[in-house]
Amino acid sequence: MRALYRGLDDLWNGRAKRLNERLAAANLPVRVANLSSIWTLYYPQPSGYNWMLQYYLRAAGLALSWVGTGRLIFSLNYSEEDFAAVADRIVSAAEAMQRDGWWWNDAQLTNKAIKRRVLKEMLQARWASGSTSAIGSINSPRIK
């Protein structure tokens, strides 16, 4: 059992580093961070569409955890070949998403601007419906 844990952090940190290097070399706006074999995907570039990567990953054969759009928990006995297959799918999915135009760049696009836009759209939808109840309630015009 001890052999399984020997060098574990170095192994997974090295894998994360290599994948981040591949993503950066391909100029893809997604990175990974890890705590041993528990990983998360994050986005150094603001975009209102980052959440869509989960669907590209699914199309590439990777279904993410239900607790978020970017969490991966690897089995401790993943071989280099197993990990390479996952890394290839992550890169492939990110390349497809970039090819499809979801990660365009705009100097004025910031996370704060995205949050404001989403809030504005939510408020406009609520006012347009004439509803005074909470969004998505049984009084919503979408239910009628």
Side-chain angles (χ1 to χ4, degrees), residues 88-141:
D88 289 345
R89 290 175 185 202
I90 290 171
V91 172
S92 174
E95 288 172 337
M97 186 165 164
Q98 187 170 47
R99 246 188 339 271
D100 288 347
W102 293 109
W103 280 324
W104 49 271
N105 244 342
D106 181 348
Q108 294 182 342
L109 187 66
T110 64
N111 284 326
K112 186 175 185 177
I114 292 168
K115 289 176 186 177
R116 283 184 176 166
R117 187 186 74 216
V118 170
L119 177 61
K120 180 181 173 184
E121 290 171 359
M122 286 174 45
L123 293 173
Q124 286 174 336
R126 184 169 183 194
W127 288 327
S129 71
S131 174
T132 58
S133 62
I135 293 174
S137 73
I138 59 170
N139 295 327
S140 174

CSV table of all heavy atoms in Angstrom, one decimal, residues 88-141:
chain,number,residue,atom,x,y,z
A,88,ASP,N,-5.2,13.7,-24.0
A,88,ASP,CA,-5.5,13.9,-25.4
A,88,ASP,C,-6.9,14.4,-25.6
A,88,ASP,O,-7.2,15.2,-26.5
A,88,ASP,CB,-5.2,12.6,-26.2
A,88,ASP,CG,-3.8,12.3,-26.3
A,88,ASP,OD1,-2.9,13.1,-26.1
A,88,ASP,OD2,-3.5,11.1,-26.7
A,89,ARG,N,-7.8,13.8,-24.8
A,89,ARG,CA,-9.3,14.2,-25.0
A,89,ARG,C,-9.5,15.6,-24.5
A,89,ARG,O,-10.3,16.3,-25.1
A,89,ARG,CB,-10.1,13.2,-24.2
A,89,ARG,CG,-10.1,11.8,-24.9
A,89,ARG,CD,-10.9,10.8,-24.1
A,89,ARG,NE,-10.8,9.5,-24.7
A,89,ARG,CZ,-11.6,8.5,-24.6
A,89,ARG,NH1,-12.7,8.7,-23.7
A,89,ARG,NH2,-11.5,7.4,-25.2
A,90,ILE,N,-8.8,16.0,-23.4
A,90,ILE,CA,-9.0,17.4,-22.9
A,90,ILE,C,-8.5,18.4,-24.0
A,90,ILE,O,-9.2,19.3,-24.3
A,90,ILE,CB,-8.3,17.6,-21.6
A,90,ILE,CG1,-9.0,16.8,-20.5
A,90,ILE,CG2,-8.2,19.1,-21.2
A,90,ILE,CD1,-8.2,16.7,-19.2
A,91,VAL,N,-7.3,18.1,-24.5
A,91,VAL,CA,-6.8,19.0,-25.6
A,91,VAL,C,-7.7,19.0,-26.8
A,91,VAL,O,-8.0,20.0,-27.4
A,91,VAL,CB,-5.3,18.6,-25.9
A,91,VAL,CG1,-4.8,19.4,-27.1
A,91,VAL,CG2,-4.4,18.8,-24.7
A,92,SER,N,-8.1,17.8,-27.2
A,92,SER,CA,-9.0,17.7,-28.4
A,92,SER,C,-10.3,18.5,-28.2
A,92,SER,O,-10.8,19.2,-29.1
A,92,SER,CB,-9.3,16.2,-28.7
A,92,SER,OG,-10.2,16.1,-29.7
A,93,ALA,N,-10.9,18.4,-27.0
A,93,ALA,CA,-12.2,19.1,-26.7
A,93,ALA,C,-11.9,20.6,-26.7
A,93,ALA,O,-12.7,21.3,-27.3
A,93,ALA,CB,-12.7,18.6,-25.4
A,94,ALA,N,-10.8,21.0,-26.1
A,94,ALA,CA,-10.6,22.5,-26.1
A,94,ALA,C,-10.3,23.0,-27.5
A,94,ALA,O,-10.7,24.1,-27.8
A,94,ALA,CB,-9.4,22.7,-25.1
A,95,GLU,N,-9.6,22.2,-28.3
A,95,GLU,CA,-9.3,22.7,-29.7
A,95,GLU,C,-10.6,22.8,-30.5
A,95,GLU,O,-10.8,23.7,-31.2
A,95,GLU,CB,-8.3,21.7,-30.4
A,95,GLU,CG,-6.9,21.8,-29.9
A,95,GLU,CD,-6.0,20.7,-30.4
A,95,GLU,OE1,-6.5,19.6,-30.8
A,95,GLU,OE2,-4.8,20.9,-30.4
A,96,ALA,N,-11.5,21.8,-30.3
A,96,ALA,CA,-12.8,21.9,-31.0
A,96,ALA,C,-13.6,23.1,-30.5
A,96,ALA,O,-14.2,23.8,-31.4
A,96,ALA,CB,-13.6,20.6,-30.7
A,97,MET,N,-13.6,23.4,-29.2
A,97,MET,CA,-14.3,24.5,-28.8
A,97,MET,C,-13.7,25.8,-29.3
A,97,MET,O,-14.5,26.8,-29.7
A,97,MET,CB,-14.4,24.6,-27.2
A,97,MET,CG,-15.2,25.6,-26.7
A,97,MET,SD,-15.6,25.3,-24.9
A,97,MET,CE,-16.2,26.9,-24.4
A,98,GLN,N,-12.4,25.9,-29.4
A,98,GLN,CA,-11.8,27.1,-29.9
A,98,GLN,C,-12.1,27.2,-31.4
A,98,GLN,O,-12.4,28.3,-31.9
A,98,GLN,CB,-10.3,27.1,-29.7
A,98,GLN,CG,-9.6,28.4,-30.1
A,98,GLN,CD,-8.2,28.4,-29.6
A,98,GLN,OE1,-7.4,27.4,-29.8
A,98,GLN,NE2,-7.8,29.5,-29.0
A,99,ARG,N,-12.0,26.1,-32.2
A,99,ARG,CA,-12.3,26.1,-33.6
A,99,ARG,C,-13.8,26.6,-33.8
A,99,ARG,O,-14.0,27.3,-34.8
A,99,ARG,CB,-12.2,24.7,-34.2
A,99,ARG,CG,-11.1,24.5,-35.1
A,99,ARG,CD,-11.1,23.2,-35.8
A,99,ARG,NE,-11.7,22.1,-35.2
A,99,ARG,CZ,-11.2,21.2,-34.3
A,99,ARG,NH1,-9.9,21.4,-33.9
A,99,ARG,NH2,-11.9,20.2,-33.7
A,100,ASP,N,-14.7,26.2,-33.0
A,100,ASP,CA,-16.1,26.6,-33.1
A,100,ASP,C,-16.3,28.1,-32.7
A,100,ASP,O,-17.5,28.5,-32.8
A,100,ASP,CB,-17.0,25.7,-32.3
A,100,ASP,CG,-17.1,24.3,-32.9
A,100,ASP,OD1,-16.7,24.1,-34.1
A,100,ASP,OD2,-17.6,23.4,-32.2
A,101,GLY,N,-15.3,28.8,-32.3
A,101,GLY,CA,-15.4,30.2,-32.0
A,101,GLY,C,-15.9,30.6,-30.7
A,101,GLY,O,-16.3,31.8,-30.5
A,102,TRP,N,-15.9,29.8,-29.7
A,102,TRP,CA,-16.5,30.1,-28.4
A,102,TRP,C,-15.5,30.9,-27.5
A,102,TRP,O,-15.9,31.5,-26.5
A,102,TRP,CB,-17.0,28.9,-27.6
A,102,TRP,CG,-18.1,28.3,-28.3
A,102,TRP,CD1,-18.2,27.1,-29.0
A,102,TRP,CD2,-19.5,28.8,-28.4
A,102,TRP,NE1,-19.4,26.8,-29.4
A,102,TRP,CE2,-20.3,27.9,-29.1
A,102,TRP,CE3,-20.1,29.9,-27.9
A,102,TRP,CZ2,-21.6,28.1,-29.3
A,102,TRP,CZ3,-21.4,30.1,-28.1
A,102,TRP,CH2,-22.2,29.2,-28.9
A,103,TRP,N,-14.3,30.9,-27.9
A,103,TRP,CA,-13.2,31.6,-27.1
A,103,TRP,C,-12.7,32.8,-27.8
A,103,TRP,O,-11.5,33.0,-27.9
A,103,TRP,CB,-12.1,30.7,-26.6
A,103,TRP,CG,-12.5,29.8,-25.5
A,103,TRP,CD1,-13.2,30.2,-24.4
A,103,TRP,CD2,-12.1,28.5,-25.2
A,103,TRP,NE1,-13.4,29.2,-23.5
A,103,TRP,CE2,-12.7,28.1,-24.0
A,103,TRP,CE3,-11.3,27.5,-25.9
A,103,TRP,CZ2,-12.5,26.8,-23.5
A,103,TRP,CZ3,-11.2,26.3,-25.4
A,103,TRP,CH2,-11.7,25.9,-24.2
A,104,TRP,N,-13.5,33.6,-28.4
A,104,TRP,CA,-13.0,34.8,-29.1
A,104,TRP,C,-12.5,35.8,-28.0
A,104,TRP,O,-12.9,35.8,-26.8
A,104,TRP,CB,-14.1,35.4,-29.9
A,104,TRP,CG,-15.4,35.6,-29.3
A,104,TRP,CD1,-16.4,34.7,-29.2
A,104,TRP,CD2,-15.9,36.7,-28.5
A,104,TRP,NE1,-17.5,35.2,-28.5
A,104,TRP,CE2,-17.2,36.4,-28.0
A,104,TRP,CE3,-15.3,38.0,-28.2
A,104,TRP,CZ2,-17.9,37.3,-27.3
A,104,TRP,CZ3,-16.1,38.9,-27.5
A,104,TRP,CH2,-17.4,38.5,-27.0
A,105,ASN,N,-11.7,36.7,-28.4
A,105,ASN,CA,-11.1,37.7,-27.5
A,105,ASN,C,-11.6,39.1,-27.8
A,105,ASN,O,-11.8,39.5,-28.9
A,105,ASN,CB,-9.6,37.7,-27.8
A,105,ASN,CG,-8.8,37.3,-26.6
A,105,ASN,OD1,-9.3,37.2,-25.5
A,105,ASN,ND2,-7.6,36.9,-26.8
A,106,ASP,N,-11.9,39.8,-26.7
A,106,ASP,CA,-12.3,41.2,-26.7
A,106,ASP,C,-11.6,41.9,-25.5
A,106,ASP,O,-11.8,41.5,-24.4
A,106,ASP,CB,-13.8,41.3,-26.7
A,106,ASP,CG,-14.3,42.8,-26.7
A,106,ASP,OD1,-13.5,43.7,-26.6
A,106,ASP,OD2,-15.5,43.0,-26.9
A,107,ALA,N,-10.9,43.0,-25.8
A,107,ALA,CA,-10.1,43.6,-24.7
A,107,ALA,C,-11.1,44.1,-23.6
A,107,ALA,O,-10.7,44.3,-22.4
A,107,ALA,CB,-9.3,44.8,-25.2
A,108,GLN,N,-12.3,44.5,-23.9
A,108,GLN,CA,-13.3,45.0,-22.9
A,108,GLN,C,-14.0,43.9,-22.2
A,108,GLN,O,-14.7,44.1,-21.3
A,108,GLN,CB,-14.3,45.9,-23.6
A,108,GLN,CG,-13.6,47.2,-24.1
A,108,GLN,CD,-14.6,48.1,-24.8
A,108,GLN,OE1,-15.7,47.7,-25.1
A,108,GLN,NE2,-14.2,49.3,-24.9
A,109,LEU,N,-13.8,42.6,-22.6
A,109,LEU,CA,-14.5,41.5,-21.9
A,109,LEU,C,-13.7,41.1,-20.7
A,109,LEU,O,-12.6,40.7,-20.7
A,109,LEU,CB,-14.6,40.3,-22.9
A,109,LEU,CG,-15.4,39.1,-22.4
A,109,LEU,CD1,-16.9,39.5,-22.3
A,109,LEU,CD2,-15.2,38.0,-23.4
A,110,THR,N,-14.4,41.3,-19.5
A,110,THR,CA,-13.8,41.0,-18.3
A,110,THR,C,-14.8,40.1,-17.5
A,110,THR,O,-16.0,40.0,-17.9
A,110,THR,CB,-13.5,42.2,-17.4
A,110,THR,OG1,-14.8,42.8,-17.1
A,110,THR,CG2,-12.6,43.2,-18.1
A,111,ASN,N,-14.4,39.4,-16.5
A,111,ASN,CA,-15.3,38.6,-15.7
A,111,ASN,C,-16.4,39.5,-15.1
A,111,ASN,O,-17.6,39.1,-15.0
A,111,ASN,CB,-14.6,37.8,-14.6
A,111,ASN,CG,-13.9,36.6,-15.2
A,111,ASN,OD1,-14.4,36.0,-16.2
A,111,ASN,ND2,-12.7,36.3,-14.7
A,112,LYS,N,-16.1,40.7,-14.7
A,112,LYS,CA,-17.0,41.6,-14.1
A,112,LYS,C,-18.1,42.0,-15.2
A,112,LYS,O,-19.3,42.1,-14.9
A,112,LYS,CB,-16.3,42.9,-13.6
A,112,LYS,CG,-17.2,43.8,-12.8
A,112,LYS,CD,-16.4,44.9,-12.2
A,112,LYS,CE,-17.2,45.9,-11.4
A,112,LYS,NZ,-16.4,46.9,-10.7
A,113,ALA,N,-17.6,42.3,-16.4
A,113,ALA,CA,-18.5,42.7,-17.4
A,113,ALA,C,-19.5,41.5,-17.8
A,113,ALA,O,-20.7,41.7,-18.1
A,113,ALA,CB,-17.8,43.1,-18.7
A,114,ILE,N,-19.0,40.3,-17.8
A,114,ILE,CA,-19.8,39.2,-18.1
A,114,ILE,C,-20.9,39.0,-17.0
A,114,ILE,O,-22.1,38.8,-17.3
A,114,ILE,CB,-18.9,37.9,-18.2
A,114,ILE,CG1,-18.0,38.0,-19.4
A,114,ILE,CG2,-19.8,36.6,-18.2
A,114,ILE,CD1,-17.0,36.9,-19.4
A,115,LYS,N,-20.5,39.1,-15.7
A,115,LYS,CA,-21.5,39.0,-14.6
A,115,LYS,C,-22.6,40.1,-14.7
A,115,LYS,O,-23.7,39.8,-14.5
A,115,LYS,CB,-20.8,39.1,-13.3
A,115,LYS,CG,-19.9,37.9,-12.9
A,115,LYS,CD,-19.2,38.1,-11.6
A,115,LYS,CE,-18.3,36.9,-11.4
A,115,LYS,NZ,-17.5,37.1,-10.2
A,116,ARG,N,-22.2,41.3,-15.1
A,116,ARG,CA,-23.1,42.4,-15.2
A,116,ARG,C,-24.1,42.1,-16.4
A,116,ARG,O,-25.3,42.3,-16.3
A,116,ARG,CB,-22.4,43.7,-15.5
A,116,ARG,CG,-21.9,44.3,-14.2
A,116,ARG,CD,-21.3,45.6,-14.5
A,116,ARG,NE,-20.8,46.2,-13.2
A,116,ARG,CZ,-20.0,47.3,-13.1
A,116,ARG,NH1,-19.6,47.9,-14.2
A,116,ARG,NH2,-19.7,47.7,-12.0
A,117,ARG,N,-23.6,41.6,-17.5
A,117,ARG,CA,-24.4,41.3,-18.7
A,117,ARG,C,-25.4,40.2,-18.3
A,117,ARG,O,-26.6,40.3,-18.7
A,117,ARG,CB,-23.5,40.8,-19.9
A,117,ARG,CG,-24.4,40.7,-21.1
A,117,ARG,CD,-23.6,40.1,-22.3
A,117,ARG,NE,-23.4,38.7,-22.0
A,117,ARG,CZ,-22.3,38.0,-22.4
A,117,ARG,NH1,-21.3,38.6,-23.0
A,117,ARG,NH2,-22.2,36.7,-22.1
A,118,VAL,N,-25.0,39.2,-17.6
A,118,VAL,CA,-25.9,38.1,-17.3
A,118,VAL,C,-27.0,38.6,-16.3
A,118,VAL,O,-28.2,38.3,-16.5
A,118,VAL,CB,-25.1,36.9,-16.6
A,118,VAL,CG1,-26.1,35.9,-16.0
A,118,VAL,CG2,-24.2,36.2,-17.7
A,119,LEU,N,-26.6,39.4,-15.3
A,119,LEU,CA,-27.6,40.0,-14.4
A,119,LEU,C,-28.6,40.8,-15.2
A,119,LEU,O,-29.8,40.8,-15.0
A,119,LEU,CB,-26.9,40.8,-13.4
A,119,LEU,CG,-27.8,41.6,-12.4
A,119,LEU,CD1,-28.7,40.6,-11.6
A,119,LEU,CD2,-27.0,42.4,-11.4
A,120,LYS,N,-28.1,41.7,-16.1
A,120,LYS,CA,-29.0,42.5,-16.9
A,120,LYS,C,-30.0,41.7,-17.7
A,120,LYS,O,-31.1,42.0,-17.8
A,120,LYS,CB,-28.1,43.4,-17.9
A,120,LYS,CG,-28.9,44.3,-18.8
A,120,LYS,CD,-28.0,45.1,-19.7
A,120,LYS,CE,-28.8,45.9,-20.7
A,120,LYS,NZ,-27.9,46.6,-21.6
A,121,GLU,N,-29.5,40.6,-18.3
A,121,GLU,CA,-30.3,39.7,-19.1
A,121,GLU,C,-31.4,39.0,-18.3
A,121,GLU,O,-32.5,38.9,-18.7
A,121,GLU,CB,-29.5,38.7,-19.9
A,121,GLU,CG,-28.7,39.2,-21.0
A,121,GLU,CD,-27.7,38.2,-21.6
A,121,GLU,OE1,-27.6,37.1,-21.1
A,121,GLU,OE2,-26.9,38.6,-22.5
A,122,MET,N,-31.0,38.6,-17.0
A,122,MET,CA,-32.0,38.0,-16.1
A,122,MET,C,-33.1,39.0,-15.7
A,122,MET,O,-34.2,38.7,-15.7
A,122,MET,CB,-31.3,37.5,-14.9
A,122,MET,CG,-30.5,36.2,-15.1
A,122,MET,SD,-29.5,35.7,-13.7
A,122,MET,CE,-30.6,35.9,-12.3
A,123,LEU,N,-32.7,40.2,-15.4
A,123,LEU,CA,-33.6,41.2,-15.0
A,123,LEU,C,-34.5,41.6,-16.2
A,123,LEU,O,-35.8,41.8,-16.0
A,123,LEU,CB,-32.9,42.5,-14.5
A,123,LEU,CG,-32.2,42.3,-13.2
A,123,LEU,CD1,-31.4,43.5,-12.8
A,123,LEU,CD2,-33.1,41.9,-12.0
A,124,GLN,N,-34.0,41.7,-17.4
A,124,GLN,CA,-34.8,42.0,-18.5
A,124,GLN,C,-35.8,40.9,-18.8
A,124,GLN,O,-37.0,41.2,-19.1
A,124,GLN,CB,-33.9,42.2,-19.8
A,124,GLN,CG,-33.2,43.5,-19.8
A,124,GLN,CD,-32.2,43.6,-21.0
A,124,GLN,OE1,-31.8,42.6,-21.5
A,124,GLN,NE2,-31.9,44.8,-21.4
A,125,ALA,N,-35.4,39.7,-18.6
A,125,ALA,CA,-36.3,38.5,-18.8
A,125,ALA,C,-37.5,38.6,-17.8
A,125,ALA,O,-38.6,38.3,-18.1
A,125,ALA,CB,-35.6,37.2,-18.8
A,126,ARG,N,-37.1,38.9,-16.6
A,126,ARG,CA,-38.1,38.9,-15.5
A,126,ARG,C,-39.1,40.1,-15.8
A,126,ARG,O,-40.3,39.9,-15.6
A,126,ARG,CB,-37.5,39.1,-14.2
A,126,ARG,CG,-38.4,39.1,-13.0
A,126,ARG,CD,-37.8,39.0,-11.7
A,126,ARG,NE,-38.7,38.9,-10.7
A,126,ARG,CZ,-38.5,39.0,-9.4
A,126,ARG,NH1,-37.3,39.3,-9.0
A,126,ARG,NH2,-39.4,38.9,-8.5
A,127,TRP,N,-38.6,41.2,-16.1
A,127,TRP,CA,-39.5,42.4,-16.3
A,127,TRP,C,-40.4,42.2,-17.6
A,127,TRP,O,-41.5,42.6,-17.6
A,127,TRP,CB,-38.7,43.7,-16.4
A,127,TRP,CG,-38.2,44.1,-15.1
A,127,TRP,CD1,-38.8,44.0,-13.9
A,127,TRP,CD2,-37.0,44.8,-14.8
A,127,TRP,NE1,-38.0,44.5,-12.9
A,127,TRP,CE2,-36.9,45.0,-13.4
A,127,TRP,CE3,-36.0,45.3,-15.6
A,127,TRP,CZ2,-35.9,45.7,-12.8
A,127,TRP,CZ3,-34.9,45.9,-15.0
A,127,TRP,CH2,-34.9,46.1,-13.7
A,128,ALA,N,-39.8,41.6,-18.6
A,128,ALA,CA,-40.5,41.3,-19.9
A,128,ALA,C,-41.7,40.4,-19.6
A,128,ALA,O,-42.7,40.5,-20.3
A,128,ALA,CB,-39.6,40.8,-20.9
A,129,SER,N,-41.6,39.5,-18.7
A,129,SER,CA,-42.6,38.5,-18.4
A,129,SER,C,-43.7,39.1,-17.6
A,129,SER,O,-44.8,38.5,-17.5
A,129,SER,CB,-42.1,37.3,-17.7
A,129,SER,OG,-41.7,37.6,-16.4
A,130,GLY,N,-43.5,40.2,-17.0
A,130,GLY,CA,-44.5,40.8,-16.1
A,130,GLY,C,-44.7,40.1,-14.8
A,130,GLY,O,-45.5,40.4,-14.0
A,131,SER,N,-43.8,39.2,-14.5
A,131,SER,CA,-43.9,38.4,-13.3
A,131,SER,C,-43.3,39.1,-12.1
A,131,SER,O,-42.3,39.8,-12.2
A,131,SER,CB,-43.2,37.0,-13.5
A,131,SER,OG,-43.2,36.3,-12.2
A,132,THR,N,-43.9,39.0,-10.9
A,132,THR,CA,-43.4,39.6,-9.7
A,132,THR,C,-42.8,38.5,-8.8
A,132,THR,O,-42.3,38.7,-7.7
A,132,THR,CB,-44.4,40.4,-8.9
A,132,THR,OG1,-45.5,39.5,-8.6
A,132,THR,CG2,-44.9,41.6,-9.7
A,133,SER,N,-43.0,37.2,-9.3
A,133,SER,CA,-42.5,36.1,-8.5
A,133,SER,C,-41.0,35.8,-8.9
A,133,SER,O,-40.5,36.3,-9.9
A,133,SER,CB,-43.3,34.9,-8.7
A,133,SER,OG,-43.3,34.5,-10.0
A,134,ALA,N,-40.4,34.9,-8.2
A,134,ALA,CA,-39.0,34.5,-8.4
A,134,ALA,C,-38.9,33.9,-9.8
A,134,ALA,O,-39.8,33.2,-10.3
A,134,ALA,CB,-38.5,33.6,-7.3
A,135,ILE,N,-37.8,34.1,-10.4
A,135,ILE,CA,-37.5,33.5,-11.7
A,135,ILE,C,-37.6,31.9,-11.6
A,135,ILE,O,-37.0,31.4,-10.7
A,135,ILE,CB,-36.1,33.9,-12.2
A,135,ILE,CG1,-36.1,35.4,-12.5
A,135,ILE,CG2,-35.7,33.1,-13.5
A,135,ILE,CD1,-34.8,36.0,-12.9
A,136,GLY,N,-38.3,31.3,-12.5
A,136,GLY,CA,-38.4,29.9,-12.5
A,136,GLY,C,-39.5,29.3,-11.6
A,136,GLY,O,-39.6,28.2,-11.4
A,137,SER,N,-40.3,30.2,-11.0
A,137,SER,CA,-41.4,29.8,-10.1
A,137,SER,C,-42.5,29.2,-10.9
A,137,SER,O,-42.6,29.2,-12.1
A,137,SER,CB,-41.9,30.9,-9.2
A,137,SER,OG,-42.7,31.8,-10.0
A,138,ILE,N,-43.5,28.7,-10.2
A,138,ILE,CA,-44.7,28.1,-10.9
A,138,ILE,C,-45.5,29.2,-11.6
A,138,ILE,O,-46.3,28.9,-12.5
A,138,ILE,CB,-45.6,27.4,-9.9
A,138,ILE,CG1,-46.1,28.3,-8.8
A,138,ILE,CG2,-44.9,26.1,-9.4
A,138,ILE,CD1,-47.2,27.6,-8.0
A,139,ASN,N,-45.3,30.5,-11.3
A,139,ASN,CA,-45.9,31.6,-12.0
A,139,ASN,C,-45.2,32.0,-13.3
A,139,ASN,O,-45.6,32.9,-14.0
A,139,ASN,CB,-46.1,32.8,-11.1
A,139,ASN,CG,-46.9,32.5,-9.9
A,139,ASN,OD1,-47.9,31.7,-10.0
A,139,ASN,ND2,-46.6,33.1,-8.8
A,140,SER,N,-44.1,31.4,-13.6
A,140,SER,CA,-43.3,31.7,-14.7
A,140,SER,C,-44.1,31.5,-16.0
A,140,SER,O,-44.8,30.4,-16.1
A,140,SER,CB,-42.0,30.9,-14.7
A,140,SER,OG,-41.3,31.1,-15.9
A,141,PRO,N,-44.0,32.4,-17.0
A,141,PRO,CA,-44.7,32.2,-18.3
A,141,PRO,C,-44.2,30.9,-19.0
A,141,PRO,O,-44.9,30.4,-19.8
A,141,PRO,CB,-44.4,33.5,-19.0
A,141,PRO,CG,-43.3,34.1,-18.4
A,141,PRO,CD,-43.2,33.6,-17.0
